[in-house]
Amino acid sequence: MARTERISLAQGSGGEPMQRLLRELIWPVFANPILARQEDQARLAFELQPGEQLAFTTDSFVVTPLQFPGGDIGSLAVQGTLNDLAVGGAVARYLSCGLIIEEGLPVALLRDLCLSLAKTARDAGVQVVTGDTKVVPRGAADGLFINTSGLGIIPAGINIGTHRLAAGDSLVVSGPIGEHGAAILASRQELAITGDLRSDCANLSPLIQTLLPNAGLHALRDMTRGGLNAVLHEFAEAAGATAVIDESAVPVRPAVQGLCELLGLDPLQLACEGRLLAVVAPDHAEHLLQCLQAHPMGQGAAIIGRLTPKRNVPVILNGLYGIERALPPVSGELLPRIC
Amino acid sequence: MEQQIAEIRIRGTVQGVGFRPCVWQLAQQMALRGDVRNDADGVFIRLFPPTQMHRFQQQLETHLPPLAHIDSITTRLLPCGDIPQDFCILDSTRGHNRTQVLPDIATCERCRSEIFDTRDRRHGYAFGNCTHCGPRYSIITAMPYDRSHTTMAPFRRCAACQHEYVQPLDRRFHAQPIACAECGPRLWLAAPDGTELARENAIAVAAQRLQQGQLLAIKATGGFHLACDASDPCAIERLRSLKHRPHKPLALMVRDTAQLRAFARVSRTEEQLLHSPAAPIVLLDMLPASLPSALCSGLARVGTMLPSTPLQHLLMAALNGPLVMTSGNVEGAPPCQDNSSAMTQLAPGVDALLLHNRDIRHRVDDSLTQVIAGRPQILRRARGYAPAGIYLPAGMQDADGILALGGDLKNAPCLLRQGRAHLAPHLGDMENPQLQRQLHQSLEQLTQLLGCRARLIACDPHPGYHSRRLAHRVAQTQGLPLVEVAHHHAHLAACLAEHRYPIDGPPVLGLILDGSGLAPANSPHPIWGGEILRADYRHCQRLDGLPAVALPGGDQAAREPWRNLLAHLERWQPEWAQTAARLPALQDLQQQPLHTLRAMIQHNQNAPLASSCGRLFDAVAALLGATPSRQSFEAQAAMHLEALAQSATAASLPGFDPGSATDMLDLTGLWQQLLDCAQSEPPARTALWFHQALARLLARRLQALAHDQGCTTLVLGGGCLQNRLLQAELSTALTATGFEVLIPHQVPANDGGLALGQAVVAWVRREAGHG
Ligand SMILES: [Fe+3]
Ligand SMILES: [Mg+2]
Ligand SMILES: [Zn+2]
Ligand SMILES: [Zn+2]
């Protein structure tokens, strides 16, 4: 296929053009023995040891632009799903991959994105074992949508989750927040934003493996859509507690802060794709922080606040001069409040 | 033949105001027999002989005690076998509560003179009061209003006070907070670490320290003040940094109007307002260069009040000049309400605290008012006014149990009860979680004190409002219906209700000018703030309004006025960079990241469209260099623009061509002529030109639409009406053409009045009978 070639609707028809696309582009990229069998399903042999559990998750990825500083939709589609497995303590094994391609997407770009996806999976030691490809008419999708599902194993003895959250727990972030969201905004040409903004997207699994031995670790969450704000609300709600955050302790890079001020956005609401929030018993918090900071992906980690007995609002920011502000949950549209 | 006796039932503000002694005295003078007592319905009188009933009523109405107000009198004749031998006052009986809760009342003239009278037993005592004055709402814990239901309950009346309390002829007959130095609350001056510095002479020592430039926290009736010498710039700077309030004007307290005249102009109405029972802060025109500039940072008006308690009278008398008297809190947090919170929050920043041992049950801030066209206008409704009932229009007598939560800024909730609207005292910005809790408490206190169960909840529809979230939670937990009332309809309805506009009156036209409120779902732009509406209590329809302009950065545009200047220029004068480049503000504007801002506007990246009058004022203030690039308090830019305009002479200003009044409102012409004016006239005159031009543009369009629609009543509302110049220009233009113009006076034109509008609209929609 020529470099200037674009995906046509016919390639989604199921006939010969589609077979060519699969044969020439998709299969070579993902090549592995299970996929090579070309069955309608992946057949996987699992032998679970006593106490082990299967973990299974799915996520769809929609991002504009498809490539951005620090990553692309391909790497994101793998990392996002791996992170969802990892925050439950699981070791990821297999992925599925569904591609929904908009008619007219340059074939070369599709190949690059698929290569990125495959490489990210390989680097993480997981195989893409089943998949699907669809082509939809112009306007029915935005370039490329990807859905991935992931299968992993939670080793025996791991017990983390929202059921363990308790008032008094410390809240720890693994690094500066909002960098993925900021990078996506900055890479939108028309906004003409300058500054050193790279997505933080990453596979959190290696970092999380170093945290799991910590007996005080209660829960982990990757801060994706809705950013830190959304996770704080989710955790506060689940714990029946109020999260009190020391605003000045939340790490935000100056470039992200600057962009937020210019656009009138709140860094707490910007998505991250390679940062997590850990909730840990207070007497284990220091140790967890040291573990995080010892790992390359957690160098910017910080204790940002704690869960306190429930008050009248779920999340409170302790700001300058000790003035408290209620942090409203993320709502669909930003509408000015000041009258 | 069996004899008859007259029974008189009186409802209204008739308890705790010296009503029964007044009745007793009249009966004595007229040699009548019978009795009088308080009950949950008001006051109940039996009178013999009944032939005198009519004359008695007339006498009563002309001799009412100053704080009393009669809603209704009903009478009947009953046979009575056992006619009383004399006239006496009976104990209260209980029942379903229909009486009123009074606001705190400033010290009356007689109580004031007593504390300065060396022969009086209350000489120098800081907590005296009588039936005609003193604390009420701030100390009430439950109804009926009895001492045991106030924070005076722990103090036992001494024999002398007891004597005054039971003497019908005494000014203190049944004055519940009655007290003297022997038996009442005590004052002391504390160091920041809590050590007592002075007791007997606490006021004298406090005054001395203030005079030396020290900062004091002073416990008042409904909260704490922070105070310092108003002539001492260093003390003012310290106070500002303690409060984290760099620029917002600070209120002053003066001993008397003589002291006031040294630095402000005071009209008769303003003087009356200062001396009224509410004793609010009044915004007065300052005399040039009469006060340290740090007080009002370049604004031409200063908020001033007179002492309203014996403590304040004694303190001011011990000083030889005005005090800065500002609320005892850090900007954004609720003012302190008890000694222990003052010790933790205020003590570290002050030199001493003047404390007392009477608890504050309800926080009540100082009210803020201004006089415009000879009429007082309340801008912040609190001490002296709240939660007194406001009479609703005829046809709303049955409105009861409607609880409205108001907006998110300048929040004050409102309860409709038995045909009256009770607005709770101003609370503040709901972003603070403690203030959200106070709002929640305030809802419970209103309903409990007034003995009225909420049956219907009303709120603003803005999805980001904390007040709305709370309203939904309250409605859900109590299983009550909830009505969301559009922001600008609520503004309009509040003004209608205040003026008792008939419930079935024809639709009116309203001009509502504010910063921003959520537009109804059918609006082409999400935020309103400069609307011409056709409305009654039930319906509201937009006929026209300021055209929508982007707010680049959303709320950030409300903080940074230059963003609005850019948005307006891009919309109305896209060639601005070439045509008006000589203006310094436009040169500054070019230093901003214009590419990004333009893209935000063009691609609607957090740049919602809003028809906001407040942001238009921000834009013009930025154009004329009247505002810092970032405001440190709300409406800073607009206040500076108004002050600038007021410093100008109107003689031979350039004309203004408003275009055709039959076309939809458009700002192209206004901006074109404004830029021309700015290039030929000094900023002050341009500011004045803008006020006049905008008022003219809006007034003409409003009139044209009113003619079209056959409306004769016009309503003005919204926070921008606090701008005296704009309000005066608008009301002059409209009244001159024969319309009846309704303007908010008793209830704030800003979001502090929203809850009243929400409540009446909710009631009319859900419960009013369909006639
Ligand atoms: Fe408003
Ligand atoms: Mg996910
Ligand atoms: Zn008095
Ligand atoms: Zn006494």
Side-chain angles (χ1 to χ4, degrees), chain B residues 121-122 125 147 156-162 164 178-184:
Chain B
R121 72 183 196 89
R122 286 191 179 79
Y125 182 55
R147 189 178 178 104
R156 251 183 93 95
R157 282 189 287 265
C158 68
C161 285
Q162 178 65 18
E164 293 167 333
I178 189 174
C180 71
E182 196 67 32
C183 66

Side-chain angles (χ1 to χ4, degrees), chain A residues 185 188 190-193 261-265 312-313 321 323-326 328-329 334-339, chain B residues 244 330-331 408 429 431-433 436-437 462 514 516 518 553 555-556 563 596 599-600 603 605-606 634 751:
Chain A
L185 282 168
R188 289 179 46 191
E190 70 269 13
L191 286 181
I193 287 164
E261 259 165 42
L262 182 56
L263 300 187
L265 302 174
N312 57 334
V313 290
Y321 322 124
I323 304 286
E324 293 185 335
R325 283 192 296 128
L334 286 173
L335 288 171
R337 239 179 97 251
I338 299 177
C339 188
Chain B
H244 304 296
V330 171
E331 207 65 10
D408 253 25
D429 182 353
E431 197 174 47
N432 183 290
Q436 285 183 40
R437 201 177 44 236
H462 193 304
D514 68 354
S516 68
L518 189 76
D555 271 339
Q556 196 76 318
R563 288 175 183 258
T596 304
M600 288 168 70
H603 300 278
Q605 175 66 55
N606 195 25
E634 197 213 337
D751 284 7

Side-chain angles (χ1 to χ4, degrees), chain B residues 529-585:
Chain B
E531 316 308 314
I532 298 181
L533 307 170
R534 180 181 186 270
D536 53 24
Y537 289 107
R538 195 182 297 267
H539 302 290
C540 181
Q541 176 201 356
R542 183 182 196 264
L543 299 181
D544 197 358
L546 292 176
V549 174
L551 304 177
D555 271 339
Q556 196 76 318
R559 297 186 197 102
E560 301 184 333
W562 59 267
R563 288 175 183 258
N564 303 292
L565 175 58
L566 177 69
H568 273 269
L569 289 172
E570 291 289 312
R571 173 77 201 270
W572 307 114
Q573 295 293 320
E575 308 294 302
W576 61 273
Q578 283 95 63
T579 56
R582 281 180 302 131
L583 290 170

